[in-house]
Amino acid sequence: FTDLFPTPVFVARVPDHEALNEELKREIDTVRDATPNGRPESWSSDVYTTFDSNFSLHEQPGFRRLTGWFMEGATEFAQRLSYPLEENEISIDVCWLNVYGRGQWQERHNHSVHPMVAIYYAAAPPNCSGLILHSEHADTMVRPRYLGNDQIDHFTIRIDPEPGMMVVFNGHLRHSITTSAIDEPRISVSANFNINEKTN
């Protein structure tokens, strides 16, 4: 018996994330004060995001430490998938902020033009919105439910965010955010990565 076409997901806790998150929260407050909501018109919820107003957070000094952790996580993910990193290099293409409050969510989508995506949780209060990963088979097959194997028995898997958690996955993997039922903000920073041939 062989499991074909697995869906790899890398989840890690960033060391010393408490200090990193305190640093990030100050920087995030500065970004929010200076940056209007960049929510794309295609998004249904009025979540605050810098997706269309500031997607270069990785280039700002206040996000330098997080950028380093993003690169480490993406590199480990790529190595485990045997990406040819000797001839290619990983880079962050875009990086942006999302802040979810009560009643806000994110519909199902993917980042298919990028090979890897990373999400870091700077604030994740108890019972905050979950990250839902959607099976690639969910809309294409009719099949009976399996019993006892979560990896093949579900069309969705939920990851409950925790402060300092980083999640890395392939850009084609569809994902969504459940509706927030709490007042405290859930704050995440996301990054899309490219893998390009080295120039020297």
Side-chain angles (χ1 to χ4, degrees):
F1 187 86
T2 302
D3 290 331
L4 297 177
F5 312 119
T7 302
V9 179
F10 174 73
V11 180
R13 184 72 70 88
V14 170
D16 196 25
H17 62 270
E18 294 92 348
L20 174 59
N21 287 350
E22 285 300 317
E23 177 183 314
L24 283 174
K25 287 175 184 177
R26 292 191 294 270
E27 190 68 20
I28 286 168
D29 287 342
T30 300
V31 169
R32 294 189 69 182
D33 287 342
T35 309
N37 194 338
R39 181 179 67 85
E41 291 185 4
S42 60
W43 291 18
S44 299
S45 178
D46 61 348
V47 58
Y48 174 84
T49 180
T50 66
F51 186 80
D52 273 352
S53 54
N54 183 352
F55 53 74
S56 301
L57 297 182
H58 58 295
E59 298 176 354
Q60 297 183 201
F63 291 86
R64 185 172 294 126
R65 286 181 62 197
L66 177 58
T67 298
W69 286 116
F70 270 155
M71 291 300 297
E72 284 201 24
T75 299
E76 182 166 350
F77 182 84
Q79 289 173 337
R80 293 195 182 190
L81 269 64
S82 300
Y83 288 170
L85 297 185
E86 292 183 1
E87 302 88 15
N88 298 276
E89 58 186 358
I90 298 171
S91 63
I92 295 178
D93 184 29
V94 294
C95 181
W96 69 98
L97 171 68
N98 292 319
V99 181
Y100 292 85
R102 180 179 288 274
Q104 296 175 335
W105 74 96
Q106 178 68 61
E107 49 267 276
R108 185 172 58 173
H109 66 287
N110 63 19
H111 305 203
S112 58
V113 299
H114 294 92
M116 294 184 294
V117 178
I119 305 171
Y120 177 79
Y121 297 99
N127 303 312
C128 70
S129 300
L131 170 66
I132 306 297
L133 305 178
H134 298 262
S135 167
E136 293 304 302
H137 306 294
D139 299 327
T140 59
M141 292 180 63
V142 176
R143 61 168 174 80
R145 284 181 55 81
Y146 297 96
L147 297 176
N149 188 338
D150 287 347
Q151 290 182 316
I152 61 175
D153 189 29
H154 290 83
F155 284 143
T156 63
I157 296 293
R158 176 183 175 123
I159 295 178
D160 289 312
E162 298 177 3
M165 177 187 287
M166 179 170 55
V167 183
V168 185
F169 50 89
N170 290 124
H172 71 266
L173 179 60
R174 292 176 298 174
H175 53 287
S176 60
I177 308 298
T178 62
T179 302
S180 174
I182 62 174
D183 294 323
E184 295 86 352
R186 171 193 185 275
I187 302 174
S188 61
V189 181
S190 297
N192 288 344
F193 295 84
N194 287 327
I195 301 178
N196 295 316
E197 186 175 352
K198 293 181 178 178
T199 56
N200 51 26

